[in-house]
Amino acid sequence: MDVTTPGNIGFASSGELEIELYDSTNRGPVRGAQVSIYRASDGEKIASYVSDGAGQIPDIRVETPPLEYSLESQAMGMPYGQYNIVVEAAGYETLELINAEVLPQELSLQPVPLIPTGSMTGKTEEIVVPGNTLYVPQTPKIPETEVKPVTETGEIVLSRVVIPEYIIVHDGTPSDAKAKNYYVTYPDYIKNVASSEIYATWPDAAIRANVLAIMSFTLNRVYTEWYRGKGYDFTITSSTAYDQKWSYGRTIFESISQVVDEMYTNYLARPNVKQPILTQYCDGKNVRCPKWLSQWGSKDLADQGLRTIEILRYYYGSNIYISTAEEISGIPTSWAGELSVGSEGKKVSQLQEHLNVIAGDYPAIPRVAVDGIYGPLTAEAVRIFQSIFGLPATGVVDYRTWYKISQIYVGVTGIAEL
């Protein structure tokens, strides 16, 4: 429910901000929270809301810099608007999230993890979203070989490429023993890195090329057990000198989220090489990397009309190709094709069971009979699920919807494929 929405929304450039409040211990939605939004530049309060039954604040339109700032590598201004969010909820620590990012003509998704009262000292928690690496330069990547020989420290131990359920992110350099480890679902990790390192305003082909490079790099670390082979207890770090930029609590952009949902079983491979390629890259402006993908360069190639695979081959060579992982860890059952009104069978029953479990945490989703028949009531439950989780509300279970239902089901039950 909208409590107050002061201010003028007739901006020359604007984007949309959607806020999701969840319990940091169990991912359940936090309802009835008081949410205040302030412009970061001058501290002016622009809106107040109360979170709904799904723990969400509906999309609000806010001011942003001009679109050109995120499309030109030489642009001098900050390409995104920044907003501060203060959340107060019964039973939770007060939270201040600083510098949520909103790009022009894009929907920004801001996850807000709330800590139950008693697990901290009673002080206000603060999360600061760091600037995008294209705007705030980072430490350049230390070069590595793109294929890891088994004789190197951290040798290959997996027999096949598997999409992991979780990535354990070490929030610092490998040697920083004080840095915290975070357990992040694989799709959420990829969305976070991509939203940290490129702009969602770029052409679709450039976004897909960069997402594939990020996924392939990550899966190489998973496949080779790179850090575990060196005695560490994590999958990857948040240091750009060693890996990729990841930030706790950062803003995710919907267009990037959609691409990841569509492609997260993919990675980049070469003929006769079993492991995903360690696809290193740089921004192409502050750092030059002739043998790696240039992020700004990929955007320019997409502007010229090159397709995703053409962009990747321009940088990584003509024998690079897109492959698909054999298995997705943590997904109880794999997608067997589109489900809609009139579908019947075991997959429909599984869908209905999963939706009913999810409805325990998201009561806006109606419970349905587990009869294996995809009727109008099941379609309505699917539509409401899709609207809550930012998917096109079609009532049809496509690839994105099936895996999002599976992901949320695993999250609320802890049940995964062993």
Side-chain angles (χ1 to χ4, degrees), residues 57-82:
I57 302 301
D59 304 352
I60 60 170
R61 186 160 293 278
V62 294
E63 185 177 11
T64 69
L67 177 63
E68 305 81 63
Y69 285 12
S70 63
L71 299 179
E72 300 292 338
S73 63
Q74 301 304 316
M76 299 302 292
M78 179 183 289
Y80 39 79
Q82 292 184 315

PDB file of all heavy atoms in Angstrom, residues 57-82:
ATOM      1  N   ILE A  57       7.453  -3.737  -2.586  1.00  0.00           N
ATOM      2  CA  ILE A  57       6.972  -2.386  -2.840  1.00  0.00           C
ATOM      3  C   ILE A  57       6.761  -2.306  -4.344  1.00  0.00           C
ATOM      4  O   ILE A  57       7.673  -2.615  -5.116  1.00  0.00           O
ATOM      5  CB  ILE A  57       7.996  -1.325  -2.399  1.00  0.00           C
ATOM      6  CG1 ILE A  57       8.317  -1.472  -0.907  1.00  0.00           C
ATOM      7  CG2 ILE A  57       7.478   0.072  -2.717  1.00  0.00           C
ATOM      8  CD1 ILE A  57       7.137  -1.339   0.006  1.00  0.00           C
ATOM      9  N   PRO A  58       5.595  -1.923  -4.814  1.00  0.00           N
ATOM     10  CA  PRO A  58       5.346  -1.883  -6.258  1.00  0.00           C
ATOM     11  C   PRO A  58       6.284  -0.916  -6.963  1.00  0.00           C
ATOM     12  O   PRO A  58       6.846  -0.005  -6.343  1.00  0.00           O
ATOM     13  CB  PRO A  58       3.889  -1.422  -6.350  1.00  0.00           C
ATOM     14  CG  PRO A  58       3.617  -0.728  -5.056  1.00  0.00           C
ATOM     15  CD  PRO A  58       4.445  -1.435  -4.028  1.00  0.00           C
ATOM     16  N   ASP A  59       6.448  -1.115  -8.264  1.00  0.00           N
ATOM     17  CA  ASP A  59       7.358  -0.286  -9.044  1.00  0.00           C
ATOM     18  C   ASP A  59       7.019   1.196  -8.884  1.00  0.00           C
ATOM     19  O   ASP A  59       5.861   1.600  -9.008  1.00  0.00           O
ATOM     20  CB  ASP A  59       7.267  -0.641 -10.534  1.00  0.00           C
ATOM     21  CG  ASP A  59       7.521  -2.116 -10.792  1.00  0.00           C
ATOM     22  OD1 ASP A  59       7.903  -2.816  -9.849  1.00  0.00           O
ATOM     23  OD2 ASP A  59       7.320  -2.554 -11.932  1.00  0.00           O
ATOM     24  N   ILE A  60       8.039   1.993  -8.591  1.00  0.00           N
ATOM     25  CA  ILE A  60       7.853   3.433  -8.537  1.00  0.00           C
ATOM     26  C   ILE A  60       8.821   4.080  -9.524  1.00  0.00           C
ATOM     27  O   ILE A  60       9.927   3.596  -9.736  1.00  0.00           O
ATOM     28  CB  ILE A  60       8.078   3.997  -7.126  1.00  0.00           C
ATOM     29  CG1 ILE A  60       9.506   3.715  -6.631  1.00  0.00           C
ATOM     30  CG2 ILE A  60       7.075   3.438  -6.148  1.00  0.00           C
ATOM     31  CD1 ILE A  60       9.839   4.462  -5.358  1.00  0.00           C
ATOM     32  N   ARG A  61       8.376   5.143 -10.142  1.00  0.00           N
ATOM     33  CA  ARG A  61       9.211   5.832 -11.129  1.00  0.00           C
ATOM     34  C   ARG A  61      10.020   6.913 -10.441  1.00  0.00           C
ATOM     35  O   ARG A  61       9.471   7.717  -9.671  1.00  0.00           O
ATOM     36  CB  ARG A  61       8.347   6.438 -12.246  1.00  0.00           C
ATOM     37  CG  ARG A  61       9.153   7.049 -13.386  1.00  0.00           C
ATOM     38  CD  ARG A  61       8.327   7.192 -14.635  1.00  0.00           C
ATOM     39  NE  ARG A  61       7.980   5.890 -15.183  1.00  0.00           N
ATOM     40  CZ  ARG A  61       8.778   5.147 -15.943  1.00  0.00           C
ATOM     41  NH1 ARG A  61       9.999   5.569 -16.226  1.00  0.00           N
ATOM     42  NH2 ARG A  61       8.359   4.002 -16.413  1.00  0.00           N
ATOM     43  N   VAL A  62      11.327   6.925 -10.695  1.00  0.00           N
ATOM     44  CA  VAL A  62      12.225   7.888 -10.067  1.00  0.00           C
ATOM     45  C   VAL A  62      13.145   8.507 -11.121  1.00  0.00           C
ATOM     46  O   VAL A  62      13.333   7.972 -12.209  1.00  0.00           O
ATOM     47  CB  VAL A  62      13.079   7.220  -8.961  1.00  0.00           C
ATOM     48  CG1 VAL A  62      12.204   6.762  -7.807  1.00  0.00           C
ATOM     49  CG2 VAL A  62      13.881   6.053  -9.513  1.00  0.00           C
ATOM     50  N   GLU A  63      13.724   9.620 -10.742  1.00  0.00           N
ATOM     51  CA  GLU A  63      14.574  10.390 -11.648  1.00  0.00           C
ATOM     52  C   GLU A  63      15.922   9.704 -11.884  1.00  0.00           C
ATOM     53  O   GLU A  63      16.487   9.099 -10.970  1.00  0.00           O
ATOM     54  CB  GLU A  63      14.804  11.775 -11.060  1.00  0.00           C
ATOM     55  CG  GLU A  63      15.573  12.732 -11.960  1.00  0.00           C
ATOM     56  CD  GLU A  63      15.688  14.105 -11.341  1.00  0.00           C
ATOM     57  OE1 GLU A  63      15.361  14.255 -10.144  1.00  0.00           O
ATOM     58  OE2 GLU A  63      16.110  15.027 -12.058  1.00  0.00           O
ATOM     59  N   THR A  64      16.435   9.798 -13.102  1.00  0.00           N
ATOM     60  CA  THR A  64      17.749   9.252 -13.462  1.00  0.00           C
ATOM     61  C   THR A  64      18.498  10.244 -14.338  1.00  0.00           C
ATOM     62  O   THR A  64      17.902  11.163 -14.909  1.00  0.00           O
ATOM     63  CB  THR A  64      17.622   7.928 -14.231  1.00  0.00           C
ATOM     64  OG1 THR A  64      17.059   8.205 -15.541  1.00  0.00           O
ATOM     65  CG2 THR A  64      16.762   6.919 -13.491  1.00  0.00           C
ATOM     66  N   PRO A  65      19.813  10.040 -14.491  1.00  0.00           N
ATOM     67  CA  PRO A  65      20.565  10.830 -15.478  1.00  0.00           C
ATOM     68  C   PRO A  65      20.127  10.461 -16.898  1.00  0.00           C
ATOM     69  O   PRO A  65      19.400   9.476 -17.113  1.00  0.00           O
ATOM     70  CB  PRO A  65      22.019  10.412 -15.219  1.00  0.00           C
ATOM     71  CG  PRO A  65      22.023   9.850 -13.838  1.00  0.00           C
ATOM     72  CD  PRO A  65      20.684   9.187 -13.676  1.00  0.00           C
ATOM     73  N   PRO A  66      20.588  11.198 -17.888  1.00  0.00           N
ATOM     74  CA  PRO A  66      20.230  10.887 -19.276  1.00  0.00           C
ATOM     75  C   PRO A  66      20.710   9.501 -19.708  1.00  0.00           C
ATOM     76  O   PRO A  66      21.751   9.020 -19.247  1.00  0.00           O
ATOM     77  CB  PRO A  66      20.937  11.993 -20.076  1.00  0.00           C
ATOM     78  CG  PRO A  66      21.155  13.102 -19.103  1.00  0.00           C
ATOM     79  CD  PRO A  66      21.377  12.437 -17.777  1.00  0.00           C
ATOM     80  N   LEU A  67      19.979   8.890 -20.619  1.00  0.00           N
ATOM     81  CA  LEU A  67      20.305   7.564 -21.115  1.00  0.00           C
ATOM     82  C   LEU A  67      21.703   7.508 -21.733  1.00  0.00           C
ATOM     83  O   LEU A  67      22.422   6.511 -21.596  1.00  0.00           O
ATOM     84  CB  LEU A  67      19.261   7.136 -22.155  1.00  0.00           C
ATOM     85  CG  LEU A  67      19.467   5.793 -22.845  1.00  0.00           C
ATOM     86  CD1 LEU A  67      19.407   4.652 -21.833  1.00  0.00           C
ATOM     87  CD2 LEU A  67      18.435   5.594 -23.948  1.00  0.00           C
ATOM     88  N   GLU A  68      22.122   8.578 -22.395  1.00  0.00           N
ATOM     89  CA  GLU A  68      23.408   8.575 -23.106  1.00  0.00           C
ATOM     90  C   GLU A  68      24.595   8.301 -22.182  1.00  0.00           C
ATOM     91  O   GLU A  68      25.627   7.802 -22.613  1.00  0.00           O
ATOM     92  CB  GLU A  68      23.634   9.919 -23.810  1.00  0.00           C
ATOM     93  CG  GLU A  68      22.525  10.353 -24.763  1.00  0.00           C
ATOM     94  CD  GLU A  68      21.347  10.980 -24.031  1.00  0.00           C
ATOM     95  OE1 GLU A  68      21.503  12.030 -23.378  1.00  0.00           O
ATOM     96  OE2 GLU A  68      20.259  10.371 -24.111  1.00  0.00           O
ATOM     97  N   TYR A  69      24.449   8.644 -20.891  1.00  0.00           N
ATOM     98  CA  TYR A  69      25.574   8.461 -19.965  1.00  0.00           C
ATOM     99  C   TYR A  69      25.974   6.997 -19.828  1.00  0.00           C
ATOM    100  O   TYR A  69      27.134   6.688 -19.526  1.00  0.00           O
ATOM    101  CB  TYR A  69      25.217   9.018 -18.579  1.00  0.00           C
ATOM    102  CG  TYR A  69      25.229  10.523 -18.470  1.00  0.00           C
ATOM    103  CD1 TYR A  69      25.300  11.339 -19.602  1.00  0.00           C
ATOM    104  CD2 TYR A  69      25.153  11.148 -17.232  1.00  0.00           C
ATOM    105  CE1 TYR A  69      25.297  12.707 -19.494  1.00  0.00           C
ATOM    106  CE2 TYR A  69      25.160  12.537 -17.111  1.00  0.00           C
ATOM    107  CZ  TYR A  69      25.232  13.310 -18.253  1.00  0.00           C
ATOM    108  OH  TYR A  69      25.233  14.675 -18.153  1.00  0.00           O
ATOM    109  N   SER A  70      25.024   6.085 -20.015  1.00  0.00           N
ATOM    110  CA  SER A  70      25.340   4.666 -19.900  1.00  0.00           C
ATOM    111  C   SER A  70      25.645   4.017 -21.249  1.00  0.00           C
ATOM    112  O   SER A  70      25.953   2.830 -21.302  1.00  0.00           O
ATOM    113  CB  SER A  70      24.174   3.914 -19.236  1.00  0.00           C
ATOM    114  OG  SER A  70      23.005   4.001 -20.039  1.00  0.00           O
ATOM    115  N   LEU A  71      25.588   4.804 -22.316  1.00  0.00           N
ATOM    116  CA  LEU A  71      25.806   4.266 -23.659  1.00  0.00           C
ATOM    117  C   LEU A  71      27.107   4.734 -24.290  1.00  0.00           C
ATOM    118  O   LEU A  71      27.505   4.236 -25.345  1.00  0.00           O
ATOM    119  CB  LEU A  71      24.633   4.650 -24.575  1.00  0.00           C
ATOM    120  CG  LEU A  71      23.249   4.138 -24.153  1.00  0.00           C
ATOM    121  CD1 LEU A  71      22.200   4.619 -25.129  1.00  0.00           C
ATOM    122  CD2 LEU A  71      23.238   2.619 -24.042  1.00  0.00           C
ATOM    123  N   GLU A  72      27.782   5.693 -23.657  1.00  0.00           N
ATOM    124  CA  GLU A  72      29.017   6.237 -24.194  1.00  0.00           C
ATOM    125  C   GLU A  72      30.150   6.043 -23.190  1.00  0.00           C
ATOM    126  O   GLU A  72      30.039   6.494 -22.041  1.00  0.00           O
ATOM    127  CB  GLU A  72      28.867   7.721 -24.523  1.00  0.00           C
ATOM    128  CG  GLU A  72      27.788   8.034 -25.550  1.00  0.00           C
ATOM    129  CD  GLU A  72      28.146   7.515 -26.936  1.00  0.00           C
ATOM    130  OE1 GLU A  72      29.357   7.304 -27.182  1.00  0.00           O
ATOM    131  OE2 GLU A  72      27.231   7.319 -27.756  1.00  0.00           O
ATOM    132  N   SER A  73      31.232   5.427 -23.611  1.00  0.00           N
ATOM    133  CA  SER A  73      32.338   5.155 -22.686  1.00  0.00           C
ATOM    134  C   SER A  73      33.024   6.431 -22.221  1.00  0.00           C
ATOM    135  O   SER A  73      33.660   6.441 -21.161  1.00  0.00           O
ATOM    136  CB  SER A  73      33.368   4.231 -23.355  1.00  0.00           C
ATOM    137  OG  SER A  73      33.941   4.848 -24.492  1.00  0.00           O
ATOM    138  N   GLN A  74      32.892   7.506 -22.985  1.00  0.00           N
ATOM    139  CA  GLN A  74      33.544   8.764 -22.616  1.00  0.00           C
ATOM    140  C   GLN A  74      32.617   9.719 -21.861  1.00  0.00           C
ATOM    141  O   GLN A  74      33.009  10.847 -21.567  1.00  0.00           O
ATOM    142  CB  GLN A  74      34.076   9.463 -23.879  1.00  0.00           C
ATOM    143  CG  GLN A  74      35.081   8.643 -24.677  1.00  0.00           C
ATOM    144  CD  GLN A  74      36.273   8.207 -23.835  1.00  0.00           C
ATOM    145  OE1 GLN A  74      36.819   8.995 -23.062  1.00  0.00           O
ATOM    146  NE2 GLN A  74      36.684   6.957 -23.991  1.00  0.00           N
ATOM    147  N   ALA A  75      31.393   9.293 -21.566  1.00  0.00           N
ATOM    148  CA  ALA A  75      30.466  10.153 -20.837  1.00  0.00           C
ATOM    149  C   ALA A  75      31.038  10.494 -19.463  1.00  0.00           C
ATOM    150  O   ALA A  75      31.606   9.645 -18.783  1.00  0.00           O
ATOM    151  CB  ALA A  75      29.111   9.464 -20.697  1.00  0.00           C
ATOM    152  N   MET A  76      30.875  11.726 -19.040  1.00  0.00           N
ATOM    153  CA  MET A  76      31.505  12.197 -17.814  1.00  0.00           C
ATOM    154  C   MET A  76      30.617  12.018 -16.577  1.00  0.00           C
ATOM    155  O   MET A  76      31.116  11.967 -15.460  1.00  0.00           O
ATOM    156  CB  MET A  76      31.872  13.674 -17.963  1.00  0.00           C
ATOM    157  CG  MET A  76      32.871  13.940 -19.094  1.00  0.00           C
ATOM    158  SD  MET A  76      34.417  13.021 -18.883  1.00  0.00           S
ATOM    159  CE  MET A  76      35.075  13.839 -17.434  1.00  0.00           C
ATOM    160  N   GLY A  77      29.307  11.944 -16.765  1.00  0.00           N
ATOM    161  CA  GLY A  77      28.419  11.908 -15.616  1.00  0.00           C
ATOM    162  C   GLY A  77      28.095  10.509 -15.140  1.00  0.00           C
ATOM    163  O   GLY A  77      28.242   9.526 -15.872  1.00  0.00           O
ATOM    164  N   MET A  78      27.650  10.398 -13.875  1.00  0.00           N
ATOM    165  CA  MET A  78      27.186   9.122 -13.333  1.00  0.00           C
ATOM    166  C   MET A  78      25.980   8.661 -14.159  1.00  0.00           C
ATOM    167  O   MET A  78      25.041   9.425 -14.364  1.00  0.00           O
ATOM    168  CB  MET A  78      26.802   9.282 -11.867  1.00  0.00           C
ATOM    169  CG  MET A  78      26.276   8.005 -11.222  1.00  0.00           C
ATOM    170  SD  MET A  78      25.745   8.263  -9.514  1.00  0.00           S
ATOM    171  CE  MET A  78      27.334   8.507  -8.707  1.00  0.00           C
ATOM    172  N   PRO A  79      25.974   7.411 -14.621  1.00  0.00           N
ATOM    173  CA  PRO A  79      24.918   6.972 -15.539  1.00  0.00           C
ATOM    174  C   PRO A  79      23.627   6.525 -14.865  1.00  0.00           C
ATOM    175  O   PRO A  79      22.651   6.243 -15.551  1.00  0.00           O
ATOM    176  CB  PRO A  79      25.580   5.804 -16.274  1.00  0.00           C
ATOM    177  CG  PRO A  79      26.550   5.263 -15.299  1.00  0.00           C
ATOM    178  CD  PRO A  79      27.059   6.430 -14.520  1.00  0.00           C
ATOM    179  N   TYR A  80      23.617   6.420 -13.542  1.00  0.00           N
ATOM    180  CA  TYR A  80      22.427   5.924 -12.846  1.00  0.00           C
ATOM    181  C   TYR A  80      22.076   6.851 -11.685  1.00  0.00           C
ATOM    182  O   TYR A  80      22.928   7.534 -11.119  1.00  0.00           O
ATOM    183  CB  TYR A  80      22.654   4.506 -12.302  1.00  0.00           C
ATOM    184  CG  TYR A  80      24.038   4.269 -11.736  1.00  0.00           C
ATOM    185  CD1 TYR A  80      24.389   4.718 -10.455  1.00  0.00           C
ATOM    186  CD2 TYR A  80      25.006   3.609 -12.482  1.00  0.00           C
ATOM    187  CE1 TYR A  80      25.659   4.514  -9.954  1.00  0.00           C
ATOM    188  CE2 TYR A  80      26.288   3.401 -11.983  1.00  0.00           C
ATOM    189  CZ  TYR A  80      26.612   3.852 -10.723  1.00  0.00           C
ATOM    190  OH  TYR A  80      27.874   3.657 -10.223  1.00  0.00           O
ATOM    191  N   GLY A  81      20.789   6.903 -11.352  1.00  0.00           N
ATOM    192  CA  GLY A  81      20.369   7.610 -10.163  1.00  0.00           C
ATOM    193  C   GLY A  81      20.612   6.750  -8.939  1.00  0.00           C
ATOM    194  O   GLY A  81      20.595   5.521  -9.017  1.00  0.00           O
ATOM    195  N   GLN A  82      20.843   7.386  -7.794  1.00  0.00           N
ATOM    196  CA  GLN A  82      21.089   6.656  -6.549  1.00  0.00           C
ATOM    197  C   GLN A  82      20.063   7.064  -5.494  1.00  0.00           C
ATOM    198  O   GLN A  82      19.781   8.257  -5.320  1.00  0.00           O
ATOM    199  CB  GLN A  82      22.505   6.930  -6.031  1.00  0.00           C
ATOM    200  CG  GLN A  82      23.606   6.348  -6.918  1.00  0.00           C
ATOM    201  CD  GLN A  82      24.990   6.561  -6.336  1.00  0.00           C
ATOM    202  OE1 GLN A  82      25.322   7.642  -5.876  1.00  0.00           O
ATOM    203  NE2 GLN A  82      25.806   5.520  -6.363  1.00  0.00           N
TER     204      GLN A  82
END
